[in-house]
Amino acid sequence: MEGQDEQTKSRVVKVDSVESWDLFVSQANNQGCPIVVHFSASWCMPSVAMNSFFEEVAAAYPDVLFLCVDVDDLKDVAAKLEVKAMPTFVLMRVGNVVDKLVGANPEEIKKRIESFVKSIRVSVA
């Protein structure tokens, strides 16, 4: 079992390079782990406001990989996934985009993530 420090650490991984993006996505795909990505920008207040909400949701789903990508740092990744506005939330499974939500709507985001995780758990069971 990992150390007690893991409990206080963020469940959201900040992706700061295309290489780390590729690594995280590749590892998640190999393990069959679903991914939820928060595309944000430091200058976008609605996006910044969603950070603590995203942390809370991540804590509720330990079997899902939660990534945070600053579009200014990873323009190529944002362009590849056709992210045009912030915040954008992308739900991925086995390297494919399953759902995409644009805007700071906590209730809708929570509902979609819950539905996404349930559909995966059903298909695996």
Side-chain angles (χ1 to χ4, degrees):
M1 192 164 134
E2 295 183 347
Q4 296 278 319
D5 294 345
E6 292 298 312
Q7 297 302 320
T8 56
K9 250 170 87 173
S10 170
R11 287 260 316 118
V12 177
V13 180
K14 178 147 178 40
V15 182
D16 54 10
S17 71
V18 173
E19 294 76 21
S20 59
W21 167 265
D22 290 341
L23 180 68
F24 285 124
V25 172
S26 171
Q27 286 179 337
N29 292 344
N30 292 340
Q31 297 168 3
C33 177
I35 305 170
V36 178
V37 190
H38 173 199
F39 284 93
S40 67
S42 57
W43 46 263
C44 174
M45 285 308 112
S47 200
V48 171
M50 292 302 290
N51 288 338
S52 61
F53 164 77
F54 197 59
E55 287 280 355
E56 284 175 35
V57 175
Y61 298 101
D63 52 343
V64 176
L65 176 61
F66 284 82
L67 302 176
C68 186
V69 173
D70 187 308
V71 294
D72 293 324
D73 294 341
L74 277 86
K75 288 179 174 75
D76 293 347
V77 173
K80 182 178 164 193
L81 295 176
E82 299 178 3
V83 173
K84 296 175 174 46
M86 272 55 70
T88 293
F89 296 86
V90 176
L91 286 60
M92 299 174 66
R93 173 114 199 264
V94 197
N96 299 313
V97 173
V98 177
D99 198 359
K100 186 188 289 186
L101 300 89
V102 179
N105 183 340
E107 288 308 309
E108 184 62 22
I109 293 162
K110 196 179 245 180
K111 191 169 80 179
R112 299 253 197 116
I113 291 173
E114 196 172 287
S115 170
F116 173 58
V117 172
K118 276 184 186 167
S119 72
I120 290 167
R121 289 179 179 156
V122 167
S123 69
V124 172

